[in-house]
Amino acid sequence: MKVPVSWLKEYISFDISAHELADRLALTGTEVERVGRAGLPATDGNLDRFVIGQVRSKAMHPDAAKLSLCDVDIGGGKTEKIVCGAQNFEDGDKAAVCLPGGVLPDGRTLEAAVIRGVESHGMMCSEAELGLSSEAAGIMILPEDAPIGGRLIDYLPVSDEVLELEVTPNRPDCLSVYGVAREVSAVLDAPLMPEPVEDIEPRGDDDVEELIYIEVADPDLCPRYAARIIAGVNVGPSPAWLKARLVAAGIRPVNNVVDITNYVMWSLGEPMHAFDLAKIAGNRILVRRAMAGEKITTIDGTERALGKHMLVIADNQHPIAIAGIMGSEDSEVSGETTDIMLEAANFSGPGIMASSLELGLRSESSTRFEKGIDPELVPKALAMAARMLVELAGGRLVPGQYDIYTGPPSPVAIHLREERIESILGLPIAGEEAEAILARLGFGVRREDSAMHVDVPTFRADVTREIDLIEEVARVFGVDAIPSTLPSGMRAKGGLSEHQAAERGIARRLADSGLSEVISYTFIAPDFADRLMLKDEDPRRRTVPLANPLSVEQSVMRTLMLPSILQTVALNLAQRNQDINIFELGRVYLPVSSEKLPLEKRTVAGCVCGSMRGESWTGGGRVADFFTGKGLVENAFAAVNGDFQVRRAGEPFLHPGKSAGIMVAGEPAGYVGEVHPRVLEAFGIDRPVTAFEIDEDALIGSSAGIVQFEDLITFPAAYQDIAVTVGLDTTAEEIISVVREAGAPLLRSARVFDVYKGEQVGEGKKSVALGLEFRSPERTLTDEDVDAARQKIILLLAERLNATLRA
Amino acid sequence: MNNLTEELKAHPGLSDIYGEASADVEAAADPESLEAVRVKHLGRKSPLLQLLRSIPKLPAEEKPVAGRLGNQVRAALEQALLTRKQELEESQLRERLAAEQVDITLPGEPFPRGHLHLITQTLWEIEDIFIGLGYRIAEGPEVETDYYNFTALNTPEGHPARSSHDTFFIEGHPDVLLRTHTSPVQIRVMEQEDPPVYIIAPGRVYRRDSDATHTPMFHQLEGLAVDENITMADLKGTLEVFVKSMFGAEREIRMRPHFFPFTEPSVEIDVSCMICEGSGCRACKHIGWLEILGAGMVDPNVFGFVDYDTDRVQGFAFGMGIERIAMLKHRMTDLRMFFDNDLRFIKQF
């Protein structure tokens, strides 16, 4: 909402600068985005270089047929020679003269110049040059009462400071200059002028009701509909001051009729509409919901299909306006219009908002109505607009009017307890002070001991409760006076839950292991399922789709983290980043058919691509592979003192031989594996990636809990290495499991430290070397103890796995 | 030793042996030659040993002196050998160490070093401040119902505040959406628990907006304190602790009245600009203050939705954008980099 300061001063006078006012408003609840300037720059005496001049003589330029050479009286006995290209003036016309050095709104500086051999000492300005309209063909002719030699700024608001306000949605009353003036009055404690709504006498012996019939069929969407008729208007350009005002407020001037309705809307906050009476078919207006299949072409030239719940203003044949949003092209006021029907109405906020959202069409009118505005503004707006139309467009107010009203809103009266103010704010504010503040804001206040009886004005429908009044008092009093304390009754204990602490531990461990954390958008492209080669029946193909995505690339919620991970890898490779080792703690979103909301599964995912240890003069890094990924998964589990098993994964997007399903307590909990080459191709990745994805709840749930002490010191362990030759298909897990069984109870751990395939062990065989640790909690083991255990292990390995001891 | 030398003057044989051996020890340049010196002068065939072995054959009156002197010479030589050996070893070690000198300006071993995302680091820092003040962390779903995201937060259908939220909706479920703020967690917690409640709720939120200063997904952290005597002064004090912990003890805050549907009164909190120290710069639009969060006293209507007794309890709530806090703290200029996931960005922090 742009509020030109000169306009504001019509309703309230104050001495402080616009910037000071902006600060005061900002601290009392009216945010000021910026204080700008509209029109001519005001710096360095620029405004003194724009004066009112009168053409004394206009002669042809000696060397240019299209130029004239003028003597222009600029007051104080001075006459300047000015070369002018426009033709629309004569001797005696008054014009806005820009003297050399003057800076125009577009930033251009006018210099004295020699034009076709003749010196020109200024410029007579067009409206376009002054930024008032796009009218550039001729100069702007000023009315006769313009004082010769006077500063233009003192005659026309061609330069104005403008407060750009960000009005919160609860305060539609401040979407008007008068409403802002009321705030300023309360904040500065300065008197407010009366509203500019003095009515004008009608003329003629006809009557509105003879000229038009109006009916409201849907009063639920239209609590009030009022209309007047102005006959015999001359539609044409508005006077310069009105254009200047509108331009400063950011509104494009159109013609006097439209400009006046806009001016009234800006002044009072009541949107209005002017219809060409001659274009209302059947002289009949019906305010009703649109009918199936109805369409309208709005004044912006767009044809729009109307929904059945949208309110329209219709004539005998078809809608001529979408109520409160935009009028139709074919009922628009034009140059031929002579009689107009002026509409001021009150439409239901939610109704306007729903229509506006559905049509994707917002206007200054709809942004006001959707917030719910005061129905009592209707007659005021009609009075103000009628007067201006008669005075500025030469019309006649036809006697009579329509005012179809479901009745004024029920009065709101609230009890405000003085002690309640302190108990909410933690700051006492005296009753007299609170009373004065509320009165300045337009509330009616009666004191009754320590309570106040407050009548809420109709323009403050946002105030319905005691707490709302406390806010009003607090903000105008100044919330900065509130002291700083901490809650006195604090007896809750803060902290992370076990799960939250574990989650942080996992993130920290993965980062410490060399992975960098990424955060990716949770909505992805729907073709992810095809790119991952998911089977048709894979439940992860069922997604939570967005109804209104920004793009198809971000249109479904992910059911797997992998697409996000691979996208990040591709992006980084495209940026020539090396070694893309990343993780993300995020959610996947799985629809649950019986539930409204999907299951949001927290997931720990990541990948390695390249080396974990960058190139270095101390030796290069190994290219990360499946076992790098598995090691990282092991680290994640170790972070929570948890454990997992693996089994061959059947994930279609992974390398079938280099991938594993992660199992926790016998249940699937994720995967780790090299990504399938075809999937990498689908994501535009040209090198191997090993990825993992773990269900976070399962991961944290695998925790063995608090680590229990074990005495590893008193009785030392005995260590033994063995190497056995087994078939190529025998897994490490199988070997370990046999070793554990045979080695119990003295065997404490068994770990594979070498695997060898080659000539020395023969075709179809491999050698696996294990480090064994034996330990007893009760005594130091003897060589005999260990030899016996070792012997049992070798025997069972031979029996179960056909393993032979390697010499 | 000098005494020994003095005494030996009367025993030229022993004196010669001692003199020659001492000179050889001094002259040995490395442990090997020193060993040869030892064999030569203290070995079984050495003149000294032979001399010592011949003592028993000496006349009885000479035996004690010769024995004593002979053994003293042997001890002195052994001591000299040991000292010399240590000297040689010491100098050899010095030489080796000197030869092993490295270029200490070469880089160290590149251990894998990962980075937590700046958002995570910022979130943890904020969380820890409030944990220190006695808050717990509550969490809630990102795919939310209209009821929790709007209605129960005093933003019923048709409320103008809804239109400013640019909401993503879920296809086929007009009342299901991606939460536009973390505030629904307030409602979910209050539905489950009786006061007092002191929680913060961090998480991802979504708005249908994408340009230089908006990403369709971002992070918020919500705070809620409900108890018997909570006032706006408590809100101010709490946020002052937060701001000073986060941005430095010299920072000030100010409250500006504002509007949110779920708080009344509502305020925005500004922090004194840490870039220009309040003198005015581009970051603070030359007003010396930076807006960092929204807050207020929980609206009684919200308590109505969760059946809290507004005669008995009142509370405050606040919400902040994590990206904004991180950007201010680290003077970041481009919001979108947070989610581009370019490792050059992530590894900076």
Side-chain angles (χ1 to χ4, degrees), chain A residues 198-324:
Chain A
E198 199 189 330
D199 221 330
I200 192 169
E201 282 298 309
R203 287 194 290 117
D205 48 15
D206 46 359
D207 189 277
V208 167
E209 290 189 24
E210 296 164 11
L211 300 175
I212 191 139
Y213 172 77
I214 301 180
E215 191 184 324
V216 176
D218 291 310
D220 58 324
L221 293 180
C222 178
R224 191 168 197 177
Y225 194 90
R228 284 183 173 187
I229 289 174
I230 316 289
V233 295
N234 292 311
V235 177
S238 293
W241 70 265
L242 180 52
K243 287 184 186 172
R245 277 273 160 85
L246 292 176
V247 167
I251 307 165
R252 191 176 55 88
V254 180
N255 58 46
N256 48 8
V257 174
V258 172
D259 292 352
I260 286 167
T261 59
N262 281 333
Y263 189 81
V264 172
M265 171 170 70
W266 223 256
S267 298
L268 301 180
E270 167 70 24
M272 302 189 78
H273 193 69
F275 295 94
D276 184 336
L277 187 63
K279 294 179 187 164
I280 300 176
N283 291 333
R284 192 172 184 280
I285 292 275
L286 184 59
V287 182
R288 58 162 170 84
R289 284 179 165 82
M291 292 185 286
E294 274 188 324
K295 286 180 181 164
I296 186 170
T297 301
T298 42
I299 54 170
D300 57 3
T302 310
E303 188 186 66
R304 298 170 192 277
L306 298 167
K308 280 201 294 186
H309 46 275
M310 296 179 187
L311 193 72
V312 297
I313 313 301
D315 63 11
N316 238 359
Q317 295 164 357
H318 62 292
I320 54 173
I322 309 170

Side-chain angles (χ1 to χ4, degrees), chain A residues 465 485 490 589 596 613, chain B residues 109 133 142 169 175 234 299:
Chain A
R465 304 159 304 169
T485 56
M490 190 68 141
Y589 307 80
K596 190 174 265 186
R613 188 176 171 283
Chain B
E109 178 125 17
L133 287 171
E142 292 167 19
F169 290 94
D175 58 339
D234 294 335
D299 193 290

Side-chain angles (χ1 to χ4, degrees), chain B residues 174-185:
Chain B
D175 58 339
V176 180
L177 42 79
L178 297 186
R179 66 178 179 190
T180 57
H181 46 183
T182 42
S183 309
V185 182

Side-chain angles (χ1 to χ4, degrees), chain A residues 23 26-31 33 166 168-170 349-350 353 357 362 370-371 420 422-426 465 467-468 470-471 474-475 479-496 500 503-504 507-508 511-523 544-550 554 557-558 568 571-572 575 577-587 589 596-598 600 602 612-618, chain B residues 106-117 119-120 123-124 127-128 131 133-145 154 157-163 167-171 173 175-176 178-179 188 196 198 204 206 208-210 215-217 219 227-238 240-241 253-259 264-268 285 287 291 297 299-301 310 314 316 338-344 346-347:
Chain A
D23 287 346
L27 290 175
T28 51
T30 311
E31 193 163 336
E33 293 257 284
E166 191 193 303
T168 53
N170 60 325
M353 186 157 87
L357 269 177
R362 299 191 83 201
E370 72 181 18
K371 294 176 178 74
R420 191 72 182 151
E422 182 173 3
S423 88
I424 292 287
L425 302 181
R465 304 159 304 169
I467 191 77
D468 302 324
I470 293 174
E471 170 170 70
R475 69 182 181 86
V479 288
D480 243 27
I482 292 174
S484 293
T485 56
L486 288 174
S488 56
M490 190 68 141
R491 52 199 178 278
K493 182 191 161 297
L496 295 171
Q500 288 158 353
E503 189 180 86
R504 280 200 190 183
R508 238 184 240 116
D512 290 346
S513 305
L515 301 188
S516 286
E517 187 189 15
V518 299
I519 296 181
S520 24
Y521 289 116
T522 49
F523 22 60
V544 177
L546 298 184
N548 54 341
L550 282 171
Q554 299 185 331
M557 302 304 285
R558 63 188 177 195
T568 299
L571 177 135
N572 276 283
Q575 297 297 328
N577 295 335
Q578 300 294 315
D579 303 331
I580 320 302
N581 306 319
I582 55 173
F583 77 99
E584 176 167 7
L585 299 192
R587 300 183 187 186
Y589 307 80
K596 190 174 265 186
L597 298 184
E600 295 183 19
R602 290 160 195 277
M612 288 296 289
R613 188 176 171 283
E615 285 292 312
S616 165
W617 67 276
T618 60
Chain B
L106 282 169
E109 178 125 17
F111 288 99
R113 188 188 301 160
H115 298 251
L116 290 172
H117 197 284
I119 290 295
T120 299
L123 261 177
W124 288 5
E127 286 169 6
D128 289 346
I131 285 171
L133 287 171
Y135 290 72
R136 285 182 302 112
I137 299 180
E139 293 164 278
E142 292 167 19
V143 183
E144 243 318 349
T145 61
N154 200 29
E157 190 143 358
H159 192 288
R162 281 197 179 202
S163 63
T167 310
F168 283 112
F169 290 94
I170 302 305
E171 201 172 285
H173 298 273
D175 58 339
V176 180
L178 297 186
R179 66 178 179 190
R188 289 182 174 274
Y198 292 90
R204 300 189 195 203
Y206 302 86
R208 197 176 178 285
D209 207 351
S210 184
T215 49
M217 180 187 83
H219 294 76
D227 209 335
E228 280 172 12
N229 302 308
I230 299 278
T231 67
M232 266 191 106
D234 294 335
L235 169 65
K236 189 177 178 187
T238 301
E240 213 163 75
V241 170
I253 68 165
R254 73 169 186 183
M255 302 204 290
R256 263 184 304 106
H258 197 68
F259 167 76
E264 185 83 351
S266 301
V267 289
E268 281 188 327
K285 295 183 189 156
I287 55 173
E291 176 198 327
M297 299 300 288
D299 193 290
N301 290 0
T310 52
Q314 53 195 44
F316 64 68
F338 279 117
F339 308 120
D340 284 347
N341 286 335
D342 189 315
L343 287 175
R344 290 170 298 182
I346 291 168
K347 288 183 172 180

Side-chain angles (χ1 to χ4, degrees), chain A residues 749-768:
Chain A
S749 74
R751 190 178 58 87
V752 173
F753 68 85
D754 191 35
V755 177
Y756 173 78
K757 294 172 207 169
E759 287 171 22
Q760 293 182 36
V761 289
E763 189 84 355
K765 300 268 183 196
K766 65 181 172 187
S767 157
V768 177

